[in-house]
Amino acid sequence: MLHTGPDVHFISGLPRSGSTLLSSLLSQNPALITSGRTSPVAPMILRVSSLMAEGDHASDFDPTRRDRVLRQIVSSYYAPSGTQRMIIDTHRDWCARLGLIDTIFPQSKVICCVRDPIWILDSLERLIVSDPILSSRLVPMARRATQHDRIEHLLSPEGVFGYAWRVLTEAFHGPFAHRLVIVEYDYLARYPKAALDTLTRALNLPPHDYDLERIDQIGSDAFDACLSTPGLHHLRPRVSLEPRRCILPPAIQERLQGGMFWRSPEAAPSGIRILA
Protein backbone atom coordinates (compact mmCIF):
# COMPACT_ATOMS: atom_id res chain seq x y z
CA MET A 1 0.00 0.00 0.00
CA LEU A 2 1.39 3.43 -0.92
CA HIS A 3 2.07 5.95 1.82
CA THR A 4 0.06 9.11 1.09
CA GLY A 5 0.74 11.23 4.21
CA PRO A 6 3.73 13.47 4.98
CA ASP A 7 7.14 12.05 4.12
CA VAL A 8 8.84 10.53 7.16
CA HIS A 9 12.52 10.05 7.96
CA PHE A 10 14.25 9.03 11.17
CA ILE A 11 17.29 9.88 13.29
CA SER A 12 18.97 7.10 15.26
CA GLY A 13 22.51 5.91 16.00
CA LEU A 14 24.76 6.33 19.02
CA PRO A 15 24.28 8.58 22.08
CA ARG A 16 26.26 11.83 22.46
CA SER A 17 26.87 11.84 18.71
CA GLY A 18 24.96 14.86 17.43
CA SER A 19 21.37 13.66 17.02
CA THR A 20 20.00 16.49 19.18
CA LEU A 21 22.14 19.05 17.34
CA LEU A 22 21.06 17.74 13.94
CA SER A 23 17.39 17.69 14.91
CA SER A 24 17.63 21.26 16.23
CA LEU A 25 19.23 22.44 12.99
CA LEU A 26 16.61 20.70 10.85
CA SER A 27 13.83 22.22 12.97
CA GLN A 28 14.76 25.63 11.52
CA ASN A 29 13.29 24.48 8.22
CA PRO A 30 9.60 25.48 8.21
CA ALA A 31 8.75 22.58 5.92
CA LEU A 32 9.96 20.03 8.50
CA ILE A 33 8.65 18.93 11.87
CA THR A 34 11.21 17.24 14.12
CA SER A 35 11.10 15.57 17.53
CA GLY A 36 14.23 17.27 18.85
CA ARG A 37 15.26 14.77 21.52
CA THR A 38 14.11 11.15 21.67
CA SER A 39 10.36 10.86 21.09
CA PRO A 40 7.86 8.22 22.31
CA VAL A 41 6.78 7.31 18.77
CA ALA A 42 9.00 4.23 18.36
CA PRO A 43 7.96 2.67 21.71
CA MET A 44 4.30 3.39 20.88
CA ILE A 45 4.62 1.63 17.53
CA LEU A 46 6.40 -1.34 19.10
CA ARG A 47 3.69 -1.79 21.73
CA VAL A 48 0.90 -1.60 19.18
CA SER A 49 2.83 -4.01 16.94
CA SER A 50 2.95 -6.49 19.83
CA LEU A 51 -0.83 -6.30 20.17
CA MET A 52 -1.15 -7.02 16.46
CA ALA A 53 1.22 -9.99 16.60
CA GLU A 54 0.01 -11.74 19.74
CA GLY A 55 -3.10 -12.32 21.81
CA ASP A 56 -6.80 -12.32 21.10
CA HIS A 57 -6.73 -9.55 18.48
CA ALA A 58 -3.88 -10.77 16.29
CA SER A 59 -6.31 -12.09 13.65
CA ASP A 60 -7.95 -8.64 13.34
CA PHE A 61 -4.94 -7.11 11.59
CA ASP A 62 -4.23 -7.97 8.00
CA PRO A 63 -1.18 -6.23 6.44
CA THR A 64 -3.23 -3.34 5.04
CA ARG A 65 -4.88 -2.48 8.37
CA ARG A 66 -1.64 -3.05 10.26
CA ASP A 67 0.33 -0.66 8.07
CA ARG A 68 -2.41 1.99 8.13
CA VAL A 69 -2.62 1.96 11.93
CA LEU A 70 1.15 2.15 12.41
CA ARG A 71 1.52 5.01 9.93
CA GLN A 72 -1.29 6.85 11.68
CA ILE A 73 0.59 6.76 15.00
CA VAL A 74 3.34 8.87 13.47
CA SER A 75 1.09 11.37 11.71
CA SER A 76 -1.28 11.69 14.70
CA TYR A 77 1.55 12.31 17.15
CA TYR A 78 3.04 15.12 15.07
CA ALA A 79 -0.13 16.43 13.38
CA PRO A 80 1.87 18.42 10.81
CA SER A 81 0.42 21.65 9.46
CA GLY A 82 -0.21 22.26 5.80
CA THR A 83 3.24 23.82 5.36
CA GLN A 84 5.11 20.97 7.10
CA ARG A 85 5.75 18.43 4.38
CA MET A 86 8.09 16.11 6.24
CA ILE A 87 8.41 14.48 9.69
CA ILE A 88 11.79 13.52 11.21
CA ASP A 89 11.52 11.40 14.36
CA THR A 90 14.38 10.49 16.70
CA HIS A 91 14.84 7.24 18.65
CA ARG A 92 17.60 4.64 19.11
CA ASP A 93 15.14 1.81 18.39
CA TRP A 94 14.74 2.74 14.73
CA CYS A 95 18.01 0.96 13.93
CA ALA A 96 16.41 -2.21 15.28
CA ARG A 97 13.25 -1.77 13.22
CA LEU A 98 14.47 -1.22 9.67
CA GLY A 99 12.26 -4.03 8.39
CA LEU A 100 9.20 -2.26 9.76
CA ILE A 101 10.34 1.05 8.27
CA ASP A 102 10.94 -0.66 4.94
CA THR A 103 7.33 -1.85 4.93
CA ILE A 104 5.33 1.11 6.22
CA PHE A 105 7.57 3.98 5.05
CA PRO A 106 9.22 2.56 1.91
CA GLN A 107 10.81 5.88 0.88
CA SER A 108 12.32 6.66 4.29
CA LYS A 109 15.94 6.95 5.36
CA VAL A 110 17.44 6.57 8.83
CA ILE A 111 20.14 9.11 9.70
CA CYS A 112 22.56 7.40 12.09
CA CYS A 113 24.62 9.83 14.14
CA VAL A 114 27.91 8.23 15.19
CA ARG A 115 31.14 9.13 16.94
CA ASP A 116 34.37 7.59 18.17
CA PRO A 117 33.28 5.42 21.17
CA ILE A 118 36.14 6.85 23.26
CA TRP A 119 34.62 10.32 23.05
CA ILE A 120 31.08 9.06 23.57
CA LEU A 121 32.06 7.38 26.84
CA ASP A 122 34.13 10.41 27.80
CA SER A 123 31.11 12.64 27.26
CA LEU A 124 28.77 10.38 29.23
CA GLU A 125 31.27 10.15 32.09
CA ARG A 126 31.63 13.94 32.22
CA LEU A 127 27.86 14.32 32.49
CA ILE A 128 27.60 11.75 35.26
CA VAL A 129 30.45 13.08 37.44
CA SER A 130 29.29 16.69 37.06
CA ASP A 131 26.83 15.78 39.84
CA PRO A 132 28.79 15.31 43.10
CA ILE A 133 26.30 12.75 44.44
CA LEU A 134 26.27 10.73 41.17
CA SER A 135 22.49 10.63 40.87
CA SER A 136 22.29 10.08 37.09
CA ARG A 137 19.87 7.32 36.17
CA LEU A 138 21.97 6.49 33.11
CA VAL A 139 23.71 4.06 35.47
CA PRO A 140 22.01 1.97 38.20
CA MET A 141 22.86 3.01 41.74
CA ALA A 142 24.78 -0.21 42.40
CA ARG A 143 27.10 0.52 39.45
CA ARG A 144 27.87 4.21 40.14
CA ALA A 145 30.71 3.95 42.66
CA THR A 146 33.72 3.91 40.31
CA GLN A 147 34.42 5.00 36.77
CA HIS A 148 35.20 1.42 35.78
CA ASP A 149 31.84 0.25 37.14
CA ARG A 150 30.03 3.04 35.32
CA ILE A 151 31.81 2.36 32.03
CA GLU A 152 31.14 -1.39 32.29
CA HIS A 153 27.42 -0.72 32.65
CA LEU A 154 27.32 1.83 29.82
CA LEU A 155 29.04 -0.72 27.55
CA SER A 156 26.76 -3.59 28.61
CA PRO A 157 23.74 -4.68 26.53
CA GLU A 158 21.52 -2.81 29.02
CA GLY A 159 23.63 0.34 28.91
CA VAL A 160 22.72 3.44 26.91
CA PHE A 161 25.80 2.98 24.72
CA GLY A 162 25.88 -0.82 24.59
CA TYR A 163 22.31 -1.18 23.35
CA ALA A 164 22.68 1.55 20.71
CA TRP A 165 25.99 0.03 19.56
CA ARG A 166 24.45 -3.43 19.09
CA VAL A 167 21.46 -2.28 17.07
CA LEU A 168 23.60 0.05 14.94
CA THR A 169 26.05 -2.70 14.01
CA GLU A 170 23.18 -5.05 13.18
CA ALA A 171 21.55 -2.40 10.99
CA PHE A 172 24.84 -1.55 9.28
CA HIS A 173 25.44 -5.16 8.25
CA GLY A 174 21.80 -6.15 7.76
CA PRO A 175 19.50 -6.48 4.73
CA PHE A 176 18.13 -2.93 4.98
CA ALA A 177 21.48 -1.18 5.29
CA HIS A 178 20.77 0.83 2.13
CA ARG A 179 18.33 2.89 4.19
CA LEU A 180 21.11 4.27 6.42
CA VAL A 181 22.86 7.61 6.17
CA ILE A 182 25.81 7.65 8.58
CA VAL A 183 26.74 11.11 9.92
CA GLU A 184 29.86 11.30 12.05
CA TYR A 185 29.78 13.90 14.83
CA ASP A 186 33.14 15.43 13.95
CA TYR A 187 32.04 15.90 10.34
CA LEU A 188 28.77 17.54 11.37
CA ALA A 189 30.54 19.86 13.82
CA ARG A 190 33.35 20.79 11.42
CA TYR A 191 31.38 20.99 8.20
CA PRO A 192 27.73 21.57 9.16
CA LYS A 193 26.78 23.26 5.87
CA ALA A 194 28.24 20.42 3.80
CA ALA A 195 26.49 17.86 6.02
CA LEU A 196 23.12 19.61 5.70
CA ASP A 197 23.54 20.01 1.94
CA THR A 198 24.26 16.29 1.58
CA LEU A 199 21.28 15.34 3.75
CA THR A 200 19.05 17.68 1.75
CA ARG A 201 19.95 15.78 -1.43
CA ALA A 202 19.96 12.29 0.10
CA LEU A 203 16.56 12.68 1.80
CA ASN A 204 15.03 15.03 -0.74
CA LEU A 205 14.45 17.62 1.99
CA PRO A 206 12.92 20.98 1.13
CA PRO A 207 15.87 23.39 0.75
CA HIS A 208 16.56 25.90 3.52
CA ASP A 209 19.28 28.36 4.51
CA TYR A 210 20.20 27.06 7.98
CA ASP A 211 21.58 29.45 10.60
CA LEU A 212 24.68 27.74 12.00
CA GLU A 213 25.36 30.59 14.46
CA ARG A 214 22.03 30.27 16.26
CA ILE A 215 21.20 26.89 17.74
CA ASP A 216 17.89 26.78 19.59
CA GLN A 217 17.48 24.66 22.72
CA ILE A 218 14.80 22.00 22.33
CA GLY A 219 13.04 22.27 25.70
CA SER A 220 14.35 19.01 27.15
CA ASP A 221 14.94 20.10 30.75
CA ALA A 222 12.02 18.07 32.11
CA PHE A 223 13.11 14.98 30.15
CA ASP A 224 16.71 15.31 31.38
CA ALA A 225 15.46 15.85 34.94
CA CYS A 226 13.56 12.54 34.79
CA LEU A 227 16.90 10.88 34.07
CA SER A 228 18.59 12.94 36.83
CA THR A 229 21.08 14.02 34.19
CA PRO A 230 20.79 17.80 33.67
CA GLY A 231 22.35 18.99 30.44
CA LEU A 232 22.00 15.65 28.65
CA HIS A 233 20.42 17.41 25.66
CA HIS A 234 21.91 20.87 26.16
CA LEU A 235 23.27 22.49 23.00
CA ARG A 236 25.95 25.12 22.54
CA PRO A 237 24.65 28.33 20.90
CA ARG A 238 26.58 27.72 17.66
CA VAL A 239 27.88 24.72 15.74
CA SER A 240 31.50 24.09 16.68
CA LEU A 241 33.97 21.35 17.52
CA GLU A 242 35.70 22.08 20.81
CA PRO A 243 38.81 20.03 21.70
CA ARG A 244 39.15 18.71 25.23
CA ARG A 245 41.24 16.34 27.31
CA CYS A 246 39.92 12.78 27.57
CA ILE A 247 39.19 11.76 31.17
CA LEU A 248 39.09 8.00 30.52
CA PRO A 249 42.05 5.95 31.81
CA PRO A 250 44.43 4.63 29.13
CA ALA A 251 43.27 1.03 29.65
CA ILE A 252 39.68 1.95 28.81
CA GLN A 253 40.78 4.04 25.84
CA GLU A 254 42.80 1.11 24.51
CA ARG A 255 39.79 -1.16 24.89
CA LEU A 256 37.67 1.18 22.77
CA GLN A 257 40.26 1.83 20.08
CA GLY A 258 39.26 0.94 16.53
CA GLY A 259 35.56 1.17 17.25
CA MET A 260 34.64 3.31 14.24
CA PHE A 261 33.74 0.33 12.05
CA TRP A 262 31.82 2.52 9.58
CA ARG A 263 35.16 3.96 8.40
CA SER A 264 36.38 0.58 7.19
CA PRO A 265 35.80 0.35 3.40
CA GLU A 266 35.30 -3.41 3.48
CA ALA A 267 32.62 -3.06 6.17
CA ALA A 268 30.38 -0.64 4.26
CA PRO A 269 27.58 -2.49 2.44
CA SER A 270 26.46 -1.13 -0.89
CA GLY A 271 23.99 1.70 -0.62
CA ILE A 272 25.07 3.24 2.69
CA ARG A 273 26.00 6.93 2.50
CA ILE A 274 28.71 7.84 5.01
CA LEU A 275 29.56 11.42 6.03
CA ALA A 276 32.85 11.17 7.91
Side-chain angles (χ1 to χ4, degrees):
M1 181 177 181
L2 294 177
H3 170 54
T4 58
D7 291 338
V8 180
H9 295 293
F10 305 92
I11 297 176
S12 192
L14 302 176
R16 309 301 294 170
S17 298
S19 59
T20 304
L21 170 61
L22 179 59
S23 187
S24 179
L25 285 169
L26 292 172
S27 71
Q28 295 178 12
N29 191 329
L32 308 180
I33 182 169
T34 70
S35 62
R37 56 166 175 79
T38 296
S39 89
V41 170
M44 290 165 65
I45 284 180
L46 296 182
R47 291 186 184 184
V48 173
S49 296
S50 296
L51 176 67
M52 295 176 175
E54 303 174 8
D56 298 340
H57 300 290
S59 61
D60 292 342
F61 294 95
D62 59 27
T64 299
R65 176 176 287 176
R66 174 200 67 197
D67 296 353
R68 183 177 66 247
V69 169
L70 295 180
R71 283 193 296 267
Q72 191 62 40
I73 291 174
V74 180
S75 58
S76 295
Y77 179 81
Y78 285 102
S81 66
T83 60
Q84 293 170 318
R85 296 154 40 198
M86 190 171 291
I87 295 168
I88 301 182
D89 182 80
T90 299
H91 201 281
R92 308 283 174 226
D93 278 343
W94 291 127
C95 275
R97 296 294 182 268
L98 294 186
L100 182 65
I101 290 172
D102 187 72
T103 297
I104 65 175
F105 297 111
Q107 305 304 317
S108 296
K109 295 287 188 181
V110 180
I111 307 168
C112 293
C113 295
V114 299
R115 191 180 191 179
D116 186 334
I118 292 173
W119 292 108
I120 293 176
L121 272 296
D122 176 88
S123 182
L124 289 169
E125 175 66 5
R126 285 175 181 273
L127 274 173
I128 293 169
V129 300
S130 66
D131 176 4
I133 61 172
L134 302 176
S135 61
S136 174
R137 291 177 57 198
L138 295 178
V139 178
M141 185 175 295
R143 305 295 299 276
R144 295 176 193 167
T146 71
Q147 185 182 87
H148 283 81
D149 286 340
R150 294 190 293 270
I151 296 297
E152 286 298 331
H153 175 76
L154 292 170
L155 291 172
S156 73
E158 296 76 30
V160 64
F161 174 83
Y163 172 76
W165 178 263
R166 288 198 303 164
V167 297
L168 174 64
T169 55
E170 290 173 10
F172 192 88
H173 296 286
F176 304 104
H178 60 282
R179 297 207 170 273
L180 304 183
V181 180
I182 304 292
V183 180
E184 198 169 288
Y185 175 80
D186 284 24
Y187 184 89
L188 176 63
R190 290 182 189 275
Y191 312 110
K193 186 179 186 305
L196 290 166
D197 287 346
T198 300
L199 290 175
T200 295
R201 294 190 299 270
L203 280 64
N204 196 28
L205 304 179
H208 183 72
D209 184 16
Y210 296 94
D211 186 350
L212 306 177
E213 302 295 322
R214 180 189 59 81
I215 307 301
D216 293 331
Q217 300 298 320
I218 58 172
S220 59
D221 289 352
F223 182 87
D224 293 353
C226 287
L227 294 173
S228 298
T229 314
L232 182 62
H233 293 94
H234 179 78
L235 296 170
R236 291 193 292 269
R238 60 184 296 273
V239 183
S240 62
L241 184 64
E242 297 185 358
R244 65 173 186 261
R245 179 183 67 86
C246 184
I247 63 172
L248 302 182
I252 292 178
Q253 294 187 51
E254 290 173 10
R255 176 180 175 185
L256 298 173
Q257 284 286 354
M260 295 187 287
F261 63 87
W262 55 87
R263 286 190 173 186
S264 176
E266 63 272 14
S270 176
I272 293 184
R273 185 182 292 269
I274 301 175
L275 282 62

